[in-house]
């Protein structure tokens, strides 16, 4: 585990020498003291990224040349697959098979954007038809500049990869600040960058708190773009900081995503996808379908089967065989989730399953998978993101009722619908005000497809070619090709 910041291709102690306790949420033990960056370190990192962008080779390499580095990063991630996955488990708490899946996705993300970097060379410009034949116009794409990237703790290396891979593919340089709760795998990415001899300053990794390291990054005048994933309140601060000098901004924020299950659905399939939609990664998933709407005729049956299956979920240390639900990432998140469950109880909700700390766990931030029913549509637990293994289930009368309830949220990240009627699924999918819609499933995510939210769930899209566009500027080059004089001020 690393105890220095990765700045300008070198490992450096933070100027003020501070550290962050990294805690294993399954044991509550301190497993590492990570370096805590402050303003001075951010300033050095941003200046290194600026020099690498303004006078280094990176933005001037062809896409094909940059792709070689991206593929080398993917290979190194794959080589360290098991070690990285284990670090992720001890840092974040998630079960090992989920962590392995994340690491594979992270490597896949670098490979995918290597391909898109090559495509940039294949399509270097677009000719634009303009309404005057004396002119020719073209559009070219250029790297946007220096990116300040800030990431959350729920998928530590994967959320980092969703930003680093497309930004580097585009030719940008970056200062990355991972979450202070889970800095370990991001620091390993620094070691990988060093091993593959990524030019200095292209990727700088500074661990630290939001206040001491994140905020100075968002306020730094030499940063051109802020790419942020995290909560709505922090996203608002990032946007306000970026507004000072009109930085380009993309935000991937929270959600309270609905899952609408119609009465013609297979109940077993519905229960399985409801569970995958909320208990995967302990429910700490921005797109988690935490509001389940079930059509009245099958409501009771779905709740009953859901509670039976939820009781079977094996809770434990993510490193133990068979664990399907690990601990919550931190004491702070653990307290927040238990407080939300208590509040739901006081507001009149029924705890149909779970609702507290599982029996027999003396340490670790463990919370039972929890099913809540009978909450009102204006209750806190129905409206606000809990970001834990807590699902709210409500009945609905008909399609119009379901769509109204689903869309009645300030968030619009994801939504899911289940029915055997394909036309109905298509109608409801289009009626959802959300950036990601799943039909007859919930959560499967592909690097090739756009990811991002409507309303307060964010601005912009990651992944796919949309993710690359996040890090590119578009320039028009228009030339006057005629021999004749222009003739506006000086008459021929
Ligand atoms: P958070 O907002 O608390 O922190 C996110 C990051 O912002 C961290 O690195 C943190 O250090 C930093 N930060 C905090 N204050 C800052 C400030 N003032 N200036 C700059 N940076 C600051 O979020 P979190 O708890 O790490 O993550 C959970 C949230 O992330 C949830 O709301 C979840 O829905 C969201 N999320 C969204 C997506 C998506 O793709 N839409 C993906 C994962 C997580």
């Amino acid at each position: 585990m690393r105890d220095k910041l990765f700045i300008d291709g070198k490992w450096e102690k933070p100027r003020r020498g501070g550290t962050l306790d990294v805690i294993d949420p399954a044991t509550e033990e301190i497993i590492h003291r990570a370096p805590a960056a402050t303003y001075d370190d951010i300033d050095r990192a941003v200046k290194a990224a600026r020099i690498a962008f303004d006078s280094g080779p990176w933005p001037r390499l062809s896409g094909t040349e940059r792709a070689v580095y991206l593929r080398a990063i993917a290979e190194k991630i794959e080589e360290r697959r098991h070690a990285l996955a284990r670090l992720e488990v001890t840092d974040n708490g998630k079960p090992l098979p989920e962590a392995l899946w994340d690491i594979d996705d992270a490597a896949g993300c670098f490979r995918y954007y290597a391909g898109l970097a090559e495509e940039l060379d294949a399509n270097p410009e677009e000719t634009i038809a303009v309404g005057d034949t004396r002119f020719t116009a073209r559009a070219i794409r250029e790297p946007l500049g220096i990116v300040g990237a800030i990431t959350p703790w729920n998928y530590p290396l994967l959320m980092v990869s969703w930003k680093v891979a497309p930004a580097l593919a585009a030719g940008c340089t970056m200062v990355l600040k991972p979450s202070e709760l889970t800095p370990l795998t991001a620091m390993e990415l620094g070691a990988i960058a060093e091993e593959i001899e990524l030019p200095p300053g292209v990727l700088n990794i500074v661990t630290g708190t939001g206040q001491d390291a994140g905020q100075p990054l968002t306020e730094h005048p030499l940063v051109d773009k802020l790419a942020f994933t995290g909560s709505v309140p922090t996203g608002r601060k990032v946007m306000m900081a970026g507004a000072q000098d009109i930085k380009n901004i993309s935000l991937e924020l929270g959600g309270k995503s609905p899952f609408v299950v119609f009465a013609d659905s297979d109940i077993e399939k519905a229960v399985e996808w409801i569970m995958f939609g909320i208990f995967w990664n302990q429910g700490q998933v921005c797109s988690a379908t935490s509001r389940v709407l079930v059509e009245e005729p099958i409501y009771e049956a779905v709740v009953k089967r859901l509670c039976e299956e939820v009781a079977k979920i094996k809770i434990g240390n993510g490193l133990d065989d068979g664990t399907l639900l690990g601990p919550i990432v931190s004491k702070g998140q653990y307290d927040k989730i238990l407080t939300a469950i208590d509040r739901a109880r006081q507001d009149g909700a029924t705890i149909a399953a779970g609702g507290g700390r599982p029996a027999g766990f003396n340490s670790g931030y463990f919370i039972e998978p929890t099913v809540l029913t009978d909450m009102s549509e204006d209750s806190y637990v129905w409206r606000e993101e809990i970001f834990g293994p807590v699902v709210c289930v409500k009945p609905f009368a008909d399609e119009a009722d379901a769509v109204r309830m689903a869309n009645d949220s300030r968030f619009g990240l994801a939504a899911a619908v289940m029915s055997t009627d394909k036309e109905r699924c298509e109608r409801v999918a289009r009626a959802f005000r959300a950036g990601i819609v799943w039909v007859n499933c919930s959560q499967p995510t592909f690097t090739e497809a756009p990811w991002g939210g409507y309303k307060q769930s964010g601005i912009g899209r990651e992944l796919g070619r949309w993710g690359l566009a996040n890090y590119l500027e578009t320039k028009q080059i228009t030339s006057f090709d005629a021999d004749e004089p222009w003739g506006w001020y000086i008459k021929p």
Side-chain angles (χ1 to χ4, degrees):
M1 288 186 243
R2 321 267 152 187
D3 59 359
K4 296 199 176 96
L5 309 168
F6 187 64
I7 298 178
D8 204 16
K10 298 181 283 292
W11 293 94
E12 296 187 11
K13 284 246 180 245
R15 281 275 152 88
R16 296 205 186 155
T19 57
L20 301 163
D21 289 347
V22 181
I23 294 168
D24 178 345
T27 61
E28 299 180 36
E29 280 163 16
I30 297 176
I31 51 168
H32 185 55
R33 292 188 207 278
T38 55
Y39 173 81
D40 288 346
D41 308 303
I42 299 297
D43 187 52
R44 268 183 299 135
V46 170
K47 285 177 177 153
R50 185 83 252 171
I51 290 167
F53 188 80
D54 290 344
S55 45
W58 192 252
R60 284 159 272 280
L61 293 179
S62 67
T64 308
E65 287 166 321
R66 288 196 294 267
V68 173
Y69 289 93
L70 292 178
R71 289 213 172 83
I73 294 175
E75 266 167 38
K76 292 283 173 191
I77 292 176
E78 280 160 356
E79 269 173 29
R80 294 161 143 86
R81 179 174 185 261
H82 281 277
L84 287 170
R86 289 182 77 87
L87 272 186
E88 215 75 302
V89 175
T90 46
D91 210 359
N92 164 283
K94 63 179 68 199
L96 185 61
E98 291 190 26
L100 286 164
W101 192 355
D102 291 359
I103 301 302
D104 292 343
D105 274 358
C109 185
F110 279 97
R111 274 190 207 292
Y112 172 75
Y113 281 105
L116 289 205
E118 287 163 347
E119 276 181 30
L120 283 175
D121 294 350
N123 305 299
E125 60 182 40
E126 189 185 332
T127 305
I128 317 287
V130 290
D132 185 330
T133 53
R134 294 171 300 168
F135 294 87
T136 52
R138 290 168 296 143
I140 63 166
R141 287 171 300 172
E142 296 184 335
L144 201 150
I146 319 286
V147 181
I150 298 178
T151 54
W153 46 259
N154 59 342
Y155 291 91
L157 187 63
L158 189 57
M159 291 299 104
V160 161
S161 304
W162 284 18
K163 298 193 187 332
V164 176
L168 296 196
C172 291
T173 61
M174 179 178 271
V175 176
L176 165 70
K177 195 216 76 72
S179 169
E180 60 271 40
L181 295 178
T182 55
L184 301 181
T185 48
M187 295 167 84
E188 290 307 308
L189 186 63
I192 288 174
E194 188 181 27
E195 274 173 41
I196 65 148
E197 295 178 7
L198 192 70
V202 171
L203 176 62
N204 305 274
I205 303 173
V206 285
T207 50
T209 64
Q211 202 177 353
D212 293 340
Q215 194 176 328
L217 181 57
T218 60
E219 290 171 351
H220 203 294
L222 295 181
V223 171
D224 299 306
K225 179 190 171 81
L226 297 173
F228 174 78
T229 299
S231 63
V232 171
T234 312
R236 196 171 284 127
K237 286 186 197 163
V238 169
M239 201 168 170
M240 278 160 61
Q244 195 57 34
D245 34 30
I246 319 292
K247 294 188 199 319
N248 181 304
I249 290 184
S250 50
L251 302 173
E252 297 286 346
L253 307 177
K256 189 76 189 180
S257 300
F259 189 165
V260 174
V261 180
F262 283 97
D264 58 0
S265 304
D266 177 299
I267 290 178
E268 295 305 298
K269 284 185 187 157
V271 167
E272 163 82 348
W273 282 113
I274 290 169
M275 290 170 71
F276 196 69
I278 186 65
F279 299 128
W280 191 42
N281 206 25
Q282 293 68 245
Q284 302 164 134
V285 182
C286 51
S287 56
T289 34
S290 51
R291 289 187 295 145
V292 173
L293 295 150
V294 184
E295 202 171 5
E296 278 162 3
I298 61 164
Y299 173 76
E300 296 293 340
V302 167
V303 171
K304 180 170 173 287
R305 280 294 296 124
L306 181 61
C307 292
E308 284 165 6
E309 286 304 315
V310 161
K312 296 181 201 162
I313 292 178
K314 187 172 175 224
I315 305 171
N317 187 317
L319 292 175
D320 293 345
D321 266 356
T323 293
L324 281 173
L325 193 92
I328 301 303
V329 70
S330 68
K331 174 78 165 69
Q333 288 298 121
Y334 170 85
D335 288 342
K336 261 193 216 167
I337 297 166
L338 289 182
T339 305
I341 296 173
D342 267 352
R343 184 163 173 181
R345 204 181 267 125
Q346 281 161 22
D347 289 347
T350 302
I351 315 279
R357 193 176 171 81
F361 285 82
N362 298 323
S363 62
Y365 309 126
F366 292 95
I367 296 183
E368 291 172 299
T370 298
V371 180
L372 303 178
T373 56
D374 307 317
M375 73 294 300
S376 70
E377 272 186 67
D378 57 6
S379 63
Y380 179 86
V381 77
W382 181 256
R383 304 202 75 82
E384 297 303 323
E385 186 179 46
I386 306 302
F387 222 58
V390 179
V391 64
C392 296
V393 193
K394 269 187 103 54
F396 69 86
D398 56 27
E399 189 177 313
D401 193 29
V403 169
R404 177 196 61 75
M405 286 165 84
N407 285 339
D408 182 18
S409 171
R410 69 192 166 97
F411 299 110
L413 185 57
V417 55
M418 179 169 266
S419 167
T420 48
D421 177 344
K422 284 210 167 89
E423 279 173 23
R424 174 154 60 190
C425 286
E426 184 65 18
R427 240 181 0 253
V428 172
R430 285 172 185 270
F432 284 141
R433 296 281 301 150
I436 304 147
V437 174
W438 285 290
V439 176
N440 290 328
C441 63
S442 173
Q443 305 309 315
T445 298
F446 299 95
T447 314
E448 301 80 2
W451 183 272
Y454 285 21
K455 300 192 262 182
Q456 290 187 26
S457 289
I459 299 178
R461 293 292 176 272
E462 293 197 295
L463 297 184
R465 57 190 165 79
W466 301 266
L468 185 68
N470 253 335
Y471 300 98
L472 291 167
E473 280 283 20
T474 303
K475 178 186 278 178
Q476 69 150 298
I477 303 179
T478 295
S479 51
F480 184 58
D481 299 331
D483 277 340
E484 65 201 60
W486 185 232
W488 187 268
Y489 291 106
I490 302 173
K491 302 292 175 202

